[in-house]
Amino acid sequence: MAIDLRTVSITPLRQTFGHLARRMGADKPASRYIEATMDLQPVENYHYRPTWEPQYDIFDTTRTAITMKDWYALKDPRQYYYGTWTLARGRMQEVAEGDFDLVDELGLAAAYPPAGKADALEVFLPLRHVAWASNLNKAYVSSYGYGIAISQAACYASMDQLGVAQYVTRLGIAFDDLDALANAKSAWLEGAEWQELRRYVEDLMVEKDWFEVLVAQDFALEGLLYPLIYERYNEKLNAAYSPVFSMLTRFQREWFGETSKWLDAVLKAAGADNPDNKEQLATWMRKWRDRAVVALKPVAALAFGGEAEAVMAELVQNLNARAAKAGVAL
Amino acid sequence: MDMKVAKKLGLKERYSLMTRDLAWDTTYQPMDKVFPQTTYEGIKIHDWDKWEDPFRLTMDAYWKYQSEKERKLYAILDGFNQNNGHLSVTDARYINVLKLFLGSTPPLELMAARGFSMMGRQMNGAGPRVACQMQAVDEYRHFQTQIHSISNYNKYYNGMDEFAHQQSRMWYLSDGKSFFDDAITAGPFEFMVAIGFAFEYVLTNILFVPFISGAAYNGDMAAMTVGFSAQSDEARHMTLGLECIKFMLEQDPDNLPIVQRWIDKWTWRGTRKLASVGMMMDYMLPKRIMSFKEAWEMYVEENGGALFKDLARYGITIPKCFSQTIEEKEHVSHQSWIGFYMKPQATPFHTWIPTPDEMDWLSEKYPNTFDKYYRPVLEFFDAQEKAGNRFDNKTAPMNCQVCVSTMKFNEPGDPMEMCFRESIYNGEKFHTCSDHCKEIFDNEPEKYSQTFISSHQVLQGNCEPDGVDVNAPDFEPGRHMLDYWKLDKRALGDFNGSEDQKNFAAWREQATKN
Ligand SMILES: [Fe+2]
Ligand SMILES: [Fe+2]
Ligand SMILES: [Zn+2]
């Protein structure tokens, strides 16, 4: 039925939903992020206990040592709900597509100096498995985290890491076809340089406290790995050869810069809630930072040789500074 | 450089490189500790690599397609809202469909999101894990776009403002909640049969197509666009559910009886939820698409029948409840609407008696039942209402211990007799609405004895708003139900005389007069 409506202004009865008006302290329009996120997860009157973990409710605040007066304080400064997240990633993939096309068109990978190429692939390609582990560990946070603020952001980050694993795979294909991927997989499974890192991510796969997984995977490990490889190592390659690797890992660099903002806000909000949280975060951060350094040292050595120690030391300083900005002194 | 091999990769190999080849068997931690949930249900999987990827979508392609869809969707929503699109719906009764939808559907999409995230963590094959993760993030999309599309209606009409508060508290939303709570608390394989197969495959069309076409027929561009946009995701979800069934059945013959029991159980549980879709189609849409009975025949009897024929080669038989659902298709929508009509003070949407024309339509669509059983009841209520005596039943309903529906369904073969079943567990009596629900209860009494039945919980003082002292000497359970539910008084009662009715009429006149 087509009906012709004149533009008239009618006064709404209310500006937003009741749960959002109570949260905002006033009946005023809420953003789409707020509408898509706040207070939506059920918190009570569950019908049954999980047969797989009957000690818990379906959603249960005691699945982590962190406590919050308001779980929705763990909100996302990027204001990502599905629509804004997928639009942002849609733009990033368009740029990435352009980069891959250009490298292909101009034969930039083929023209890359063979020595540099072999070294670089040795460093980059096993990272597809690290991203795969990150996907799984973030899926854990998303599954068992409390409240939609954290669960959705972790879900998007988990899918992002699947994307990263696939971009690294494409990088391998662009440069050296399938053999390189197979070699990288054996290095990941057996190469001495990668075993501490593999142990690190596998240990996280059985860690039960979802917030600890978040700290260990996203803050400690990725907080060192991404600057180490996607920033510093790329800079080294750019200076020595050409910026092709930098181009084909642009997604990862942008992702890290952007996602760190989210993570830092989450850590800050958790620490600000109460002193016990702050102490717990500090304990986890120290523990996993030190383990991450052990895990990454051989990889850093592969990438930087004699300079590895110095580069790692600087990155640890930066990581500590990030913690300090989130209100946690390490 | 030799690019030949990679460029020649088929879609399947390429996708495998982008997913399964990323995975490895862990050695620093044992695999059964990394994936602890996939053995206790008794399903035997010998080779996860035999999983056939139901769709092959890498993340870059996913982002590309989905962001295009979102851009279009939100542009249409914005336009609809700016132009007061809500005034173009057929008549204000239609808006009650949205109230019913908002309370019942986004909260379940949210549970689907959380549940598929869990599957995306727990399935120990890389193929199913990725497919489940993709469905999880889609389900975030669904509940969010649904809320966003109805958000503007909430500004102008009553009864939508407290859906988030009501999702875990309202008596009539409890059946949907119990459905998803049941699935998510089951093991991962049962979840996949419950949601991936029974819900997404067998029942998804009859659950969603009526809402989408109903929106289209009744001038609601916003809900229609959201619905159509979600359907394109459902195509993927359906293939995942079906692949999961086939995979389990192909892996080991011992899986067959377990899968069959789950199919029987979840098809029935899903069917029980359809009563409200039926009343929406037959009573609430001012402009009808088709009758619930016709939709049932098309989407469930024909399509579902063909599906089960297809699965027969695996030894699967048609769900046991099928014959009962065929008998019920001529009754449930009427029983459901009458049930809600009788409780005008307990739902955030309005009810009403159909117009004489609408009753004639119902007679035509339900020649075996409407005039015989339901028209007389509705006409009686109508006369009572006109005499100033609008029916209002305040007694607490009795609920089925399994599906949590209020007891309103008839004894098979006897439309005049209400059906009850009873089981004893740990010396306690539990009531169910049907043979199928009783069987489900008797299979897992320790689970179903936990069901949160709000009418019982009210009596125990567990459904009170903050500030009510349940130990006070004058405590009277249930006196504060409207507060507990946060039910706006303006949202209650008959449609005739409601604020929605008056406002819509006034606004529409303002917008259409010259
Ligand atoms: Fe959905
Ligand atoms: Fe779905
Ligand atoms: Zn029942």
Side-chain angles (χ1 to χ4, degrees):
Chain A
M1 182 185 60
I3 160 165
D4 243 350
L5 293 176
R6 286 192 309 132
T7 329
V8 288
S9 110
I10 48 181
T11 316
L13 305 185
R14 63 185 70 74
Q15 296 294 339
T16 189
F17 296 109
H19 63 289
L20 302 181
R22 285 190 288 283
R23 169 166 287 280
M24 298 185 293
D27 178 31
K28 55 182 186 185
S31 70
R32 279 189 169 143
Y33 172 69
I34 298 282
E35 285 183 341
T37 307
M38 295 297 163
D39 301 302
L40 290 176
Q41 180 199 279
V43 298
E44 60 176 359
N45 299 346
Y46 303 109
H47 285 278
Y48 324 96
R49 291 199 157 251
T51 54
W52 30 272
E53 277 177 355
Q55 68 273 34
Y56 293 119
D57 268 326
I58 295 173
F59 303 116
D60 199 315
T61 55
T62 66
R63 285 178 171 278
T64 172
I66 295 294
T67 58
M68 294 294 292
K69 288 184 270 303
D70 173 16
W71 287 94
Y72 289 92
L74 304 178
K75 55 182 188 273
D76 184 350
R78 304 166 301 176
Q79 305 227 4
Y80 278 172
Y81 55 95
Y82 181 92
T84 42
W85 168 72
T86 205
L87 283 172
R89 294 297 173 262
R91 280 189 290 273
M92 284 167 73
Q93 75 78 28
E94 221 178 286
V95 173
E97 216 45 56
D99 288 337
F100 275 96
D101 282 351
L102 191 69
V103 167
D104 188 36
E105 236 168 71
L106 303 181
L108 296 181
Y112 206 85
K117 180 175 104 173
D119 288 351
L121 291 181
E122 216 182 322
V123 173
F124 278 111
L125 296 192
L127 297 179
R128 61 200 278 267
H129 304 291
V130 182
W132 177 252
S134 172
N135 160 269
L136 189 71
N137 288 330
K138 287 174 171 66
Y140 185 83
V141 177
S142 177
S143 300
Y144 305 105
Y146 197 84
I148 297 303
I150 193 73
S151 78
Q152 75 171 327
C155 181
Y156 306 148
S158 167
M159 301 314 281
D160 289 341
Q161 283 296 319
L162 179 58
V164 168
Q166 294 174 344
Y167 278 127
V168 179
T169 305
R170 285 181 63 181
L171 173 89
I173 296 174
F175 267 93
D176 203 18
D177 223 319
L178 304 177
D179 287 348
L181 293 176
N183 293 340
K185 190 163 185 178
S186 6
W188 175 247
L189 293 176
E190 282 142 31
E193 295 90 346
W194 298 96
Q195 295 317 299
E196 282 303 327
L197 184 50
R198 185 157 73 84
R199 181 198 304 275
Y200 186 104
V201 295
E202 288 188 14
D203 283 355
L204 280 185
M205 292 174 191
V206 300
E207 176 54 57
K208 290 288 174 197
D209 187 312
W210 62 267
F211 211 111
E212 184 170 357
V213 174
L214 181 73
V215 169
Q217 177 71 48
D218 293 52
F219 178 76
L221 182 59
E222 279 154 21
L224 292 171
L225 175 69
Y226 274 68
L228 177 71
I229 304 299
Y230 294 114
E231 289 167 17
R232 299 301 171 85
Y233 187 53
N234 267 328
E235 285 160 18
K236 185 183 155 182
L237 293 175
N238 294 350
Y241 308 105
S242 84
V244 182
F245 282 98
S246 249
M247 279 172 74
L248 298 187
T249 56
R250 188 202 304 257
F251 183 95
Q252 287 91 312
R253 237 173 7 265
E254 270 181 37
W255 176 83
F256 178 72
E258 179 226 77
T259 308
S260 299
K261 288 189 198 126
W262 159 68
L263 183 66
D264 291 352
V266 166
L267 296 171
K268 190 171 181 181
D273 188 272
N274 65 72
D276 288 351
N277 280 357
K278 208 169 259 190
E279 218 183 291
Q280 183 64 74
L281 288 175
T283 308
W284 285 337
M285 284 175 176
R286 277 189 214 105
K287 169 181 161 192
W288 290 103
R289 175 200 61 193
D290 295 348
R291 280 200 56 178
V293 169
V294 173
L296 289 173
K297 261 194 180 148
V299 181
L302 208 58
F304 293 96
E307 291 153 62
E309 289 277 338
V311 175
M312 283 302 291
E314 201 192 322
L315 296 180
V316 169
Q317 286 310 312
N318 295 350
L319 190 72
N320 291 348
R322 261 180 80 190
K325 264 177 114 178
V328 184
L330 293 184
Chain B
M1 188 183 67
D2 181 13
M3 289 288 293
K4 275 171 243 139
V5 182
K7 288 214 162 139
K8 259 195 280 175
L9 276 185
L11 210 61
K12 187 173 170 181
E13 290 85 354
R14 188 174 186 280
Y15 187 73
S16 162
L17 214 53
M18 296 288 181
T19 50
R20 293 171 201 214
D21 188 55
L22 298 165
W24 70 96
D25 283 354
T26 57
T27 58
Y28 294 104
Q29 294 291 344
M31 281 293 272
D32 58 356
K33 212 173 152 202
V34 173
F35 300 105
Q37 294 187 7
T38 38
T39 47
Y40 79 97
E41 297 169 276
I43 293 290
K44 295 177 187 157
I45 303 297
H46 305 288
D47 184 1
W48 283 95
D49 279 338
K50 291 273 156 58
W51 171 272
E52 283 289 334
D53 294 307
F55 48 84
R56 302 195 182 97
L57 201 52
T58 48
M59 284 312 294
D60 49 2
Y62 180 84
W63 286 323
K64 184 171 190 275
Y65 299 140
Q66 297 298 98
S67 63
E68 278 163 16
K69 278 157 62 179
E70 289 302 77
R71 201 172 292 122
K72 278 187 210 140
L73 172 66
Y74 281 98
I76 291 174
L77 279 189
D78 288 342
F80 186 80
N81 295 347
Q82 271 155 24
N83 299 321
N84 287 324
H86 61 95
L87 295 177
S88 61
V89 304
T90 36
D91 84 50
R93 290 181 303 170
Y94 168 76
I95 292 156
N96 293 284
V97 172
L98 297 176
K99 301 177 192 180
L100 182 69
F101 184 80
L102 180 65
S104 59
T105 306
L108 303 188
E109 301 271 12
L110 181 146
M111 291 301 283
R114 298 299 299 263
F116 275 102
S117 284
M118 292 176 190
M119 300 309 113
R121 171 60 190 81
Q122 297 296 346
M123 282 285 168
N124 45 359
R129 216 154 68 222
V130 167
C132 289
Q133 289 177 2
M134 237 172 236
Q135 177 157 356
V137 75
D138 284 340
E139 303 295 1
Y140 274 97
R141 172 176 200 247
H142 295 173
F143 78 78
Q144 296 181 337
T145 52
Q146 287 161 4
I147 292 170
H148 287 152
S149 80
I150 298 184
S151 162
N152 191 60
Y153 282 95
N154 167 58
K155 296 183 178 174
Y156 299 96
Y157 303 95
N158 297 312
M160 289 172 249
D161 56 336
E162 291 294 352
F163 79 97
H165 174 84
Q166 287 161 0
Q167 62 169 332
S168 299
R169 296 167 180 86
M170 277 306 282
W171 60 280
Y172 76 94
L173 296 175
S174 193
D175 63 345
K177 181 177 165 64
S178 87
F179 183 96
F180 266 86
D181 280 9
D182 192 353
I184 214 169
T185 54
F189 289 110
E190 186 176 349
F191 179 91
M192 291 305 291
V193 174
I195 309 301
F197 180 72
F199 194 78
E200 297 272 355
Y201 204 107
V202 184
L203 300 171
T204 192
N205 281 335
I206 191 150
L207 279 164
F208 291 104
V209 175
F211 275 108
I212 301 169
S213 339
Y217 268 52
N218 287 277
D220 183 357
M221 274 285 284
M224 182 193 84
T225 310
V226 165
F228 275 127
S229 192
Q231 282 301 98
S232 58
D233 304 330
E234 296 308 340
R236 266 184 286 120
H237 303 175
M238 289 173 77
T239 57
L240 170 58
L242 188 60
E243 169 55 27
C244 199
I245 292 280
K246 290 183 175 169
F247 178 64
M248 283 188 264
L249 296 172
E250 279 167 2
Q251 281 290 309
D252 198 294
D254 289 353
N255 294 340
L256 175 62
I258 307 177
V259 171
Q260 180 74 56
R261 182 168 69 77
W262 287 338
I263 288 179
D264 288 352
K265 168 179 172 182
W266 287 99
T267 306
W268 176 248
R269 290 220 60 185
T271 304
R272 271 295 184 242
K273 281 192 53 50
L274 290 173
S276 55
V277 177
M279 77 171 190
M280 188 273 297
M281 296 181 74
D282 287 344
Y283 287 86
M284 297 176 78
L285 288 177
K287 192 171 175 205
R288 280 129 170 92
I289 337 156
M290 61 170 82
S291 70
F292 174 67
K293 174 172 168 274
E294 289 164 327
W296 182 267
E297 286 161 356
M298 182 159 122
Y299 294 122
V300 184
E301 285 176 35
E302 280 172 36
N303 297 356
L307 165 69
F308 285 107
K309 233 176 249 153
D310 215 41
L311 289 173
R313 66 191 152 110
Y314 297 101
I316 289 290
T317 54
I318 207 151
K320 267 192 282 188
C321 62
F322 241 54
S323 55
Q324 180 163 350
T325 61
I326 288 168
E327 188 185 319
E328 286 191 350
K329 73 188 172 193
E330 299 192 69
H331 295 280
V332 286
S333 64
H334 315 295
Q335 292 169 348
S336 202
W337 181 249
I338 289 169
F340 279 106
Y341 179 89
M342 287 163 67
K343 300 193 71 59
Q345 300 303 312
T347 62
F349 56 88
H350 300 297
T351 47
W352 56 86
I353 296 292
T355 63
D357 278 359
E358 289 166 349
M359 293 238 214
D360 291 346
W361 182 86
L362 288 164
S363 302
E364 186 198 315
K365 295 292 181 185
Y366 293 93
N368 300 325
T369 56
F370 186 71
D371 285 346
K372 194 162 168 199
Y373 303 111
Y374 303 110
R375 181 190 279 272
V377 180
L378 290 164
E379 284 176 349
F380 171 75
F381 285 153
D382 195 32
Q384 290 286 300
E385 185 194 328
K386 287 183 173 128
N389 195 20
R390 208 279 187 199
F391 197 93
D392 181 8
N393 178 359
K394 291 212 161 61
T395 57
M398 217 171 136
N399 300 79
C400 173
Q401 190 70 26
V402 171
C403 70
V404 205
S405 306
T406 52
M407 302 281 197
K408 57 181 172 244
F409 302 107
N410 58 272
E411 191 66 49
D414 184 358
M416 299 309 280
E417 179 70 28
M418 183 114 66
C419 181
F420 288 97
R421 295 292 179 269
E422 202 178 274
S423 301
I424 309 269
Y425 176 65
N426 278 345
E428 221 187 308
K429 251 186 218 170
F430 293 93
H431 296 282
T432 42
C433 73
S434 54
D435 293 327
H436 304 291
C437 280
K438 178 174 159 52
E439 188 178 329
I440 293 169
F441 182 93
D442 292 343
N443 261 320
E444 293 168 87
E446 69 296 345
K447 182 169 197 181
Y448 295 100
S449 60
Q450 300 171 53
T451 306
F452 187 96
I453 304 282
S454 44
S455 50
H456 301 175
Q457 299 289 335
V458 171
L459 296 176
Q460 292 163 27
N462 294 333
C463 299
E464 296 297 333
D466 290 344
V468 170
D469 177 7
V470 297
N471 298 312
D474 62 341
F475 171 70
E476 185 195 316
R479 199 200 315 164
H480 306 282
M481 284 319 280
L482 289 195
D483 287 344
Y484 175 71
W485 291 330
K486 291 196 192 297
L487 261 190
D488 185 339
K489 292 215 165 57
R490 294 173 294 177
L492 303 176
D494 201 282
F495 174 75
N496 287 314
S498 65
E499 188 176 83
D500 277 6
Q501 183 188 34
K502 284 178 215 151
N503 282 342
F504 183 86
W507 292 333
R508 169 104 122 209
E509 189 183 283
Q510 205 187 328
T512 49
K513 76 171 180 231
N514 289 307

